[in-house]
Amino acid sequence: PDHMFPVISHSLRHALLPVTAALLLGACGNGDSEPALIEFTGPTMGTYYSVKIADPPDQLQSATVRDLVESELEIVSRGMSTYDETSELSRFNNSRDTGWIPASAALVAVLREALYVSALSNGAFDVTIAPLVDLWGFGPADTGDRLPSAQEIEAAAASTGYARISIRSAPPALRKDHPDTRIDLSSIAKGYAVDVLAEKLE
């Protein structure tokens, strides 16, 4: 299958960065004075981002950088957020179709990385854990302080397992072999977003 021997499209180290990332680009200054600094933060994907550009070119405006950053983050969110019911990933999760479903190249690339890490870790890392994430109240739905029962946990786990997901590069598409299988990319999509922003800012 396409996902068994993936080509790593971006740094695995970056893909597993912590949820909140700060990007520091540019020179360190000449030591005579503090360098100019473009710096701003904002909300994204259930957390916050921070961008710092040291000693930026004179013609570079903070608003221009912010617009670029927020535009790129919005693209990632529209593709991979479980908190947006209209996102590409949410539509896949809500579908019970077990045939090939067309997908963006970016979503396929991130899933390729996720499946690769799953194989390396013998399933310790598994993005199909979404039903359990939601059951324990760490997903979009607010479950309060209620603890799930053993029966509920067993039922939710029945549709998990990274081997249930297949990917195809050309044309890009996804499929699942269980209609209730759902994907949560919270553990890797933010790292992917950092890679995208670093490339754009450079």
Side-chain angles (χ1 to χ4, degrees), residues 135-137 142-148:
L135 184 64
W136 281 95
D142 183 6
T143 60
D145 296 328
R146 178 183 173 277
L147 296 178

Side-chain angles (χ1 to χ4, degrees), residues 21-169:
L23 303 178
L24 179 58
L25 303 175
C28 296
N30 57 18
D32 295 334
S33 62
E34 290 295 319
L37 184 68
I38 290 178
E39 179 177 11
F40 55 87
T41 64
T44 184
M45 293 180 272
T47 184
Y48 291 88
Y49 70 84
S50 173
V51 172
K52 297 180 182 180
I53 302 179
D55 201 15
D58 291 339
Q59 70 274 18
L60 187 62
Q61 300 297 314
S62 179
T64 302
V65 180
R66 182 186 287 273
D67 288 346
L68 171 80
V69 166
E70 293 188 347
S71 175
E72 293 297 329
L73 288 173
E74 178 63 19
I75 291 171
V76 175
S77 183
R78 285 201 308 265
M80 305 179 197
S81 174
T82 55
Y83 287 81
D84 180 356
E85 292 184 358
T86 67
S87 74
E88 182 181 5
L89 182 61
S90 290
R91 293 195 304 271
F92 175 80
N93 284 343
N94 292 332
S95 172
R96 296 182 61 81
D97 188 349
T98 56
W100 286 107
I101 296 177
S104 66
L107 182 56
V108 169
V110 171
L111 274 170
R112 179 181 289 108
E113 291 295 322
L115 296 175
Y116 179 66
V117 178
S118 293
L120 285 179
S121 64
N122 293 319
F125 177 83
D126 189 348
V127 294
T128 67
I129 201 170
L132 290 166
V133 170
D134 293 344
L135 184 64
W136 281 95
F138 294 105
D142 183 6
T143 60
D145 296 328
R146 178 183 173 277
L147 296 178
S149 67
Q151 292 78 12
E152 288 173 319
I153 294 172
E154 183 178 0
S159 62
T160 64
Y162 73 94
R164 294 188 179 279
I165 299 294
S166 299
I167 61 174
R168 185 180 69 195
S169 296

